[in-house]
Amino acid sequence: MSRLTRTCLRVPRPKSLFGLISLQTGTELISLALVFNKVTGFYGILAILTGFQLSALQLSTYIYSLAVLVALIFLLPHIRKQSPFEALALAWLYAADTVINAAYTIAFGISWYSVNSVSATPEADKVDAGARSNTLPRAFSAAEDTAMSIVFISFATLIRVYFTFVVMSFARQVIQRYLHLLVLDAHVLDDQNGPFALDLPDGQGRRGQIGRFMISICRRYWLAVSEGEEWSGNGHSRKASSSATLAGEV
């Protein structure tokens, strides 16, 4: 078993959001929160049109946020439709955004620290002892603010990671339900491509190619059914049949 496969099998699989809200409703709420977060990209572009000067880092952030916003507007309606392709695309979009958002946060933090460190450093020959003593309280205050910011950012990042697992679990649930319907319709499941097999509607054309690529990453996470796991579909719940388990898996 490869290291990637073992890692995928250890990915958490929440059954609900905070143990209170269903995966579907939780995914809707999480996606709406991300929409509000990415609206800043729209206002950033408006700021450019008004002649406001932005750094390259700020500009790239606004453009990226706008691109994610457009993708979310397209994907959001499919949460309730439980479309396998869109649910999987949303899961990967949210996971990628979590990583990219963390990278941007680190980049902005480094940029802010560099600017403030330079502006707060007095020239030794122009600062007397009294002035140096006055800078100590400000230095301690800045250090305290920095520590609080790090704690807040770390907590927010942990929440984002948890939300990522929720959205991924919802996508996995959608795929598993779709596979269950195929079993009920006496289809022979493709143990490699699942909903994106060439003989299925979601497996056709460019959509199918993208779907097969997305599901190929951590394939067992999306397709394999654990022993004792249940599929739910059309208001009914029943045990997954052994024929729906990936060939060669135990």
Side-chain angles (χ1 to χ4, degrees):
M1 186 181 296
S2 67
R3 180 176 300 178
L4 177 60
T5 300
R6 290 195 298 268
T7 301
C8 292
L9 292 176
R10 289 195 294 266
V11 174
R13 304 174 185 180
K15 301 297 183 182
S16 61
L17 176 62
F18 298 130
L20 301 172
I21 304 174
S22 68
L23 288 177
Q24 177 177 310
T25 303
T27 299
E28 289 179 322
L29 294 176
I30 292 169
S31 299
L32 287 174
L34 188 59
V35 167
F36 287 120
N37 178 266
K38 298 307 178 184
V39 166
T40 56
F42 176 75
Y43 290 107
I45 298 301
L46 291 181
I48 297 175
L49 298 178
T50 59
F52 189 80
Q53 297 296 320
L54 298 174
S55 67
L57 185 60
Q58 289 173 319
L59 179 60
S60 66
T61 302
Y62 290 138
I63 294 176
Y64 166 74
S65 296
L66 193 59
V68 173
L69 180 62
V70 172
L72 285 170
I73 292 174
F74 171 74
L75 295 173
L76 268 172
H78 291 274
I79 295 177
R80 292 196 176 185
K81 295 178 182 178
Q82 298 200 13
S83 308
F85 179 87
E86 285 77 10
L88 186 58
L90 178 62
W92 282 121
L93 176 66
Y94 197 89
D97 182 69
T98 298
V99 175
I100 294 173
N101 184 70
Y104 269 121
T105 300
I106 294 173
F108 276 113
I110 293 174
S111 177
W112 176 87
Y113 181 79
S114 299
V115 171
N116 283 273
S117 296
V118 172
S119 61
T121 303
E123 297 181 9
D125 56 346
K126 294 183 180 180
V127 181
D128 56 20
R132 288 195 186 94
S133 64
N134 290 333
T135 61
L136 289 178
R138 292 198 298 271
F140 283 122
S141 177
E144 183 177 354
D145 291 341
T146 301
M148 289 298 296
S149 297
I150 292 175
V151 171
F152 175 79
I153 292 172
S154 299
F155 178 76
T157 300
L158 289 176
I159 292 295
R160 278 296 303 264
V161 171
Y162 171 69
F163 284 170
T164 300
F165 292 143
V166 171
V167 177
M168 291 178 64
S169 289
F170 170 72
R172 182 176 182 274
Q173 182 184 78
V174 169
I175 292 171
Q176 294 290 334
R177 286 177 175 177
Y178 185 84
L179 295 177
H180 178 52
L181 293 177
L182 292 179
V183 171
L184 294 180
D185 290 337
H187 281 80
V188 177
L189 297 187
D190 186 327
D191 60 0
Q192 293 296 311
N193 299 314
F196 310 111
L198 292 173
D199 60 337
L200 296 176
D202 281 330
Q204 304 298 315
R206 183 63 58 86
R207 181 187 181 91
Q209 292 176 351
I210 297 174
R212 286 188 289 275
F213 171 75
M214 290 191 297
I215 211 166
S216 67
I217 306 173
C218 289
R219 192 187 310 276
R220 286 193 59 178
Y221 173 82
W222 306 112
L223 298 179
V225 180
S226 303
E227 184 178 355
E229 188 172 7
E230 294 184 351
W231 269 325
S232 298
N234 297 329
H236 299 286
S237 179
R238 56 184 291 174
K239 295 293 182 180
S241 64
S242 59
S243 62
T245 305
L246 290 181
E249 305 292 357
V250 293

